[in-house]
Amino acid sequence: MDTASDFRIRLAERAVNELEKVLNGVKVQKRKELVSAARNLGSEIQVVKYSYMPPEEIVKLENFRKIVEVSASIKEAIEKAERDFQWKQAYYWLDYLTSLPDLMKRGEIERAYEAIRYFSGEITSRTDMDGLWLCVVDCNFRIEVVTNSEAFKPGRYAVVSYLPPRQFGKVISEGMFVDASLNKKGELELEEIRAISTSLGEVEAVVLSLI
């Protein structure tokens, strides 16, 4: 597999670069040590990036395991910190890195939108924000999404692409709605993602902009 071009590995590379910046703003003890640990993952990512191994072999690499393990330890360390925008950004990228083993189980992928996670759930509430809507979605866990579409109303099942958080005033959006609906709560499998591929053009554009 051309690992240097794999969208998941390129996103992981972006994650490490972002973590070094955003962790500096997280209100947590031993912050410098956490930033240093994140920075040191850069060399591990480079080994994985140029390994040219198939996904099932990549996950066995010591470098790959270290990325996941160190990310999990940083994630645990910031768990009780103040959950402001900097924290949300750091948590997103750490979550991405710790999810890499499951993402690699998708095998070889061809499209950028296949490199991220998606969740389906029921919209439980919606708040007007002067032309925007803040929706709370129950995906068996709570996720908040800001949208400019009135189509996403309480009671509707919606698919959320799990993307880096964005800030709208004092509100943080933790993903982006997809123009698709599945009558389920929880994470989508690769086959389900591919089944809604015609609705993922905007998501793919966002993913490509990140790498």
Side-chain angles (χ1 to χ4, degrees), residues 18-65:
E18 289 297 314
L19 280 171
E20 190 175 343
K21 292 183 287 186
V22 297
L23 279 172
N24 272 306
V26 176
K27 300 174 181 65
V28 66
Q29 292 183 339
K30 298 183 178 180
R31 184 171 61 236
K32 288 184 179 180
E33 288 90 335
L34 297 180
V35 173
S36 178
R39 183 186 304 118
N40 291 337
L41 290 180
S43 59
E44 310 297 343
I45 286 285
Q46 292 308 305
V47 173
V48 173
K49 183 176 180 179
Y50 296 106
S51 64
Y52 297 103
M53 291 180 172
E56 63 271 17
E57 294 299 321
I58 288 174
V59 297
K60 298 176 185 177
L61 284 173
E62 180 63 30
N63 311 83
F64 183 88
R65 290 201 296 268

Side-chain angles (χ1 to χ4, degrees), residues 19 25 46-47 105-106 116 130 136 140 153 159 162-163:
L19 280 171
Q46 292 308 305
V47 173
K105 286 178 183 176
R106 294 179 179 179
I116 63 166
D130 295 327
V136 175
N140 286 328
K153 301 177 180 180
V159 173
Y162 188 38
L163 290 163

Side-chain angles (χ1 to χ4, degrees), residues 1-207:
M1 183 176 79
D2 183 6
T3 46
S5 299
D6 185 87
F7 297 114
R8 293 160 295 193
I9 294 172
R10 290 169 67 187
L11 273 176
E13 191 174 26
R14 174 66 183 266
V16 172
N17 291 335
E18 289 297 314
L19 280 171
E20 190 175 343
K21 292 183 287 186
V22 297
L23 279 172
N24 272 306
V26 176
K27 300 174 181 65
V28 66
Q29 292 183 339
K30 298 183 178 180
R31 184 171 61 236
K32 288 184 179 180
E33 288 90 335
L34 297 180
V35 173
S36 178
R39 183 186 304 118
N40 291 337
L41 290 180
S43 59
E44 310 297 343
I45 286 285
Q46 292 308 305
V47 173
V48 173
K49 183 176 180 179
Y50 296 106
S51 64
Y52 297 103
M53 291 180 172
E56 63 271 17
E57 294 299 321
I58 288 174
V59 297
K60 298 176 185 177
L61 284 173
E62 180 63 30
N63 311 83
F64 183 88
R65 290 201 296 268
K66 185 175 181 181
I67 292 165
V68 177
E69 290 167 3
V70 171
S71 299
S73 67
I74 299 174
K75 190 176 173 184
E76 184 178 0
I78 71 168
E79 192 67 44
K80 294 182 180 179
E82 181 182 333
R83 301 194 173 194
D84 56 11
F85 185 54
Q86 295 277 63
W87 185 92
K88 291 272 190 181
Q89 289 179 298
Y91 195 86
Y92 174 85
W93 290 115
L94 290 165
D95 208 28
Y96 189 84
L97 293 173
T98 56
S99 298
L100 278 174
D102 287 332
L103 289 168
M104 297 310 290
K105 286 178 183 176
R106 294 179 179 179
E108 294 195 31
I109 61 173
E110 297 181 356
R111 301 297 296 264
Y113 60 71
E114 296 173 340
I116 63 166
R117 302 166 72 193
Y118 298 80
F119 299 96
S120 174
E122 182 183 2
I123 300 172
T124 58
S125 69
R126 187 176 75 166
T127 305
D128 189 356
M129 295 173 48
D130 295 327
L132 296 174
W133 302 95
L134 171 63
C135 299
V136 175
V137 189
D138 175 13
C139 302
N140 286 328
F141 67 95
R142 177 190 175 106
I143 188 167
E144 296 185 352
V145 181
V146 174
T147 180
N148 61 1
S149 172
E150 293 191 15
F152 296 97
K153 301 177 180 180
R156 172 178 171 173
Y157 275 76
V159 173
V160 179
S161 53
Y162 188 38
L163 290 163
R166 294 179 62 195
Q167 194 161 27
F168 297 86
K170 296 181 179 180
V171 176
I172 298 170
S173 183
E174 300 171 305
M176 185 169 71
F177 282 129
V178 174
D179 187 19
S181 183
L182 296 175
N183 192 29
K184 64 174 277 186
K185 292 181 181 179
E187 186 164 1
L188 273 63
E189 300 291 337
L190 181 59
E191 294 75 17
E192 293 173 312
I193 296 168
R194 287 175 171 166
I196 60 171
S197 61
T198 55
S199 299
L200 299 178
E202 190 175 354
V203 175
E204 184 160 59
V206 172
V207 174

